[in-house]
Structure formats: C-alpha cells, structure tokens
Amino acid sequence: MEKNNIHIDIKNVFKSYSIGKKKVEVLKDVNWQIERDSWTALLGASGSGKTTLLTLLGMLEKPDSGKVFCGDIEYDKLSKRQSNRFRNATIGFVFQSYHMFPELSVLENVYLPGMIGFGVKNYKKKAMELLDKVGLKERMHHRPSELSGGEQQRAAIARALINEPEILLADEPTGNLDSVTGKGILSLFQEIHNEKSGRTIIMITHDPNVAALADKIATLKDGQIITQTDK
Ligand SMILES: Nc1ncnc2c1ncn2[C@@H]1O[C@H](COP(=O)(O)OP(=O)(O)O)[C@@H](O)[C@H]1O
Ligand SMILES: [Mg+2]
C-alpha cells in the first residue's frame, strides 16, 4: 500500500472501559491502515469492539493510548474546537438506529449538521437535493416517526452527507431493516461510493451482502484487527 494513499492510520490503539471495579479491555493494540476512497466491511462477533473502534475513528471517543491519523492530521494534536470542526467537515456517521431528532422534520434533521457546518452554503437547498437523491423528496416535511425504518435510514444517510465528508462511517446501517429494504440501502451506499468525488467508507456489518460489496474485509477479534483481505 502506498503511503500517500493511506487515509486513516491507526497505531497501537488501546481502549478499555471500567464498570465499577471491573475493567474490560476492548481494543488491545489495534493497528489498521485504511486506503483512501476504499470501502471496508468491518466484521467481528457481537461485543468484540467494532462500535468502540468506529467511535474512535469518528472522534466521538478517545483511545486510552495509541494514535489515530487522518491523512497528516493526528487526532490527539487537535484542540477541542479544532476536532469538532474537523469531525463536522470530514466525517459522516450513519447509525443502526438512525438517531433522528423526533421533533424536527426530516428536512430539518438533514440540514442541521450543515447549519453548524463550516463552508457549506445553501445547506437547505443541499439537504433537499440529497433527500431527492435518496428518494425522499415527497417526505421531507414529515416527522421521522412517520417514515418507515428504511426511509429513516435513507434520511440518516442524506444527513451524513450534508457536509460532503471524505469519510463515511456506518455502524450496522442495515441491522434494523428487512433484507429487501437493506439491499436498497446498500445500493445507495454503492452509488455514493462510485461517485467521482470518492469517499472512504467503513461499515460495520454482519451482512454477507455488505462484505460482498466492499473492497476490503477487516475482522476484529480478541481486541485486534486480524485480517484484511484484498478481494
Ligand atoms: N460506554 C461503555 N461502558 C462500558 N462498557 C462498554 C461501553 N461501550 C462498550 N462497552 C463494552 O465494550 C465491549 C465492546 O462493545 P462494542 O464496541 O459495542 O462491541 P460491538 O460493536 O462489536 O458489538 C462490550 O463488552 C461492551 O459491553
Ligand atoms: Mg456495535
């Protein structure tokens, strides 16, 4: 792998949680390099630490030790303000359970991160275009609860794209959906991945259909990334 093509570089990352007196070591010396514009499926047993690893990549949590680089940027070297700004501009997140604000319309949910974003002009127009792209143009003024699971996930994907992030992180995005709806979501990701602008996608999954679409498969086991197979 050419060095300048590495988008995300994780070096010697450790992360544990303490519940009372009990310490759970989740990530135990993770080393992982992710190529720019690649699509990686992240597999691993339930409880193996996939979500934990994704939250570190998404700057939602910090490792106990070790380093995370995005290009030349080392996460830990950024101030709180810089990391908020960097995260908002660079990273889009899609969660298994959508995480929409129930009191806002679908349109408002999608443009909210654009409002607090930096440099995205016309975020409302952009949100409408994205909702059109994900097939929800007619539903934009509805509340999330009025949408099906698949539609909410489409809206969540539009929201994740509002600031045109270089990196799209998805935590079991088809996990709550039936297989037909899930396939629709996956083809949307595929469309996003094939766009000219390019985008690095890391998607946690149990779904063999996802693994089949991805460029790379990584597996988290015993606190480490143990395989990364070129297909
Ligand atoms: N905030 C937390 N506090 C305490 N333990 C946690 C926390 N988040 C995750 N864990 C524990 O860390 C382990 C890994 O969790 P997680 O990253 O969610 O795994 P996965 O996504 O692979 O199912 C589990 O044992 C889980 O109970
Ligand atoms: Mg998880």
Side-chain angles (χ1 to χ4, degrees):
M1 203 186 295
E2 275 181 55
K3 184 156 190 334
N4 60 10
N5 204 29
I6 295 168
H7 198 175
I8 300 168
D9 195 359
I10 300 171
K11 289 186 191 293
N12 309 111
V13 159
F14 288 75
K15 178 78 180 172
S16 59
Y17 293 107
S18 295
I19 309 165
K21 282 187 183 157
K22 198 166 174 281
K23 191 174 167 195
V24 185
E25 290 183 345
V26 182
L27 304 178
K28 296 178 266 190
D29 202 8
V30 171
N31 288 281
W32 193 18
Q33 297 186 321
I34 297 153
E35 254 174 281
R36 192 171 287 278
D37 301 341
S38 62
W39 178 346
T40 304
L42 176 56
L43 312 181
S46 179
S48 60
K50 303 180 297 297
T51 297
T52 302
L53 185 52
L54 211 68
T55 57
L56 299 182
L57 294 183
M59 304 174 113
L60 300 173
E61 292 226 41
K62 287 186 173 193
D64 299 336
S65 62
K67 293 177 176 177
V68 183
F69 293 88
C70 180
D72 296 332
I73 306 281
E74 185 183 342
Y75 283 8
D76 206 36
K77 295 276 193 287
L78 301 176
S79 68
K80 182 100 183 124
R81 187 185 151 82
Q82 284 171 326
S83 47
N84 284 339
R85 194 180 174 119
F86 184 80
R87 181 178 58 231
N88 197 254
T90 315
I91 299 166
F93 242 107
V94 178
F95 304 90
Q96 179 173 351
S97 49
Y98 330 127
H99 286 302
M100 310 288 279
F101 287 108
E103 67 278 17
L104 300 180
S105 72
V106 168
L107 177 63
E108 288 162 340
N109 267 285
V110 172
Y111 72 60
L112 191 66
M115 269 176 93
I116 56 171
F118 304 88
V120 179
K121 295 194 193 91
N122 301 321
Y123 52 83
K124 250 186 221 184
K125 183 165 168 277
K126 182 88 196 299
M128 287 181 187
E129 286 166 6
L130 282 167
L131 282 166
D132 189 19
K133 179 192 166 103
V134 303
L136 285 178
K137 195 177 170 190
E138 312 298 322
R139 312 286 267 156
M140 67 170 93
H141 298 298
H142 289 244
R143 296 288 173 93
S145 60
E146 295 168 319
L147 269 55
S148 70
E151 287 170 333
Q152 287 193 59
Q153 195 58 300
R154 285 175 181 278
I157 293 167
R159 177 186 56 190
L161 295 175
I162 188 82
N163 290 329
E164 298 177 0
E166 288 174 15
I167 300 170
L168 192 56
L169 303 177
D171 192 350
E172 304 198 43
T174 60
N176 284 354
L177 304 172
D178 64 77
S179 64
V180 174
T181 311
K183 276 201 182 125
I185 294 294
L186 287 181
S187 40
L188 184 56
F189 272 101
Q190 201 167 20
E191 204 181 300
I192 292 161
H193 183 54
N194 290 339
E195 280 168 1
K196 257 194 289 179
S197 55
R199 200 164 266 128
T200 303
I201 300 178
I202 302 165
M203 186 180 286
I204 295 175
T205 186
H206 294 293
D207 184 346
N209 292 316
V210 175
L213 289 173
D215 305 320
K216 306 244 179 192
I217 297 173
T219 306
L220 191 55
K221 192 173 180 224
D222 300 329
Q224 299 195 329
I225 291 286
I226 56 157
T227 51
Q228 183 157 5
T229 327
D230 274 306
K231 298 202 306 169

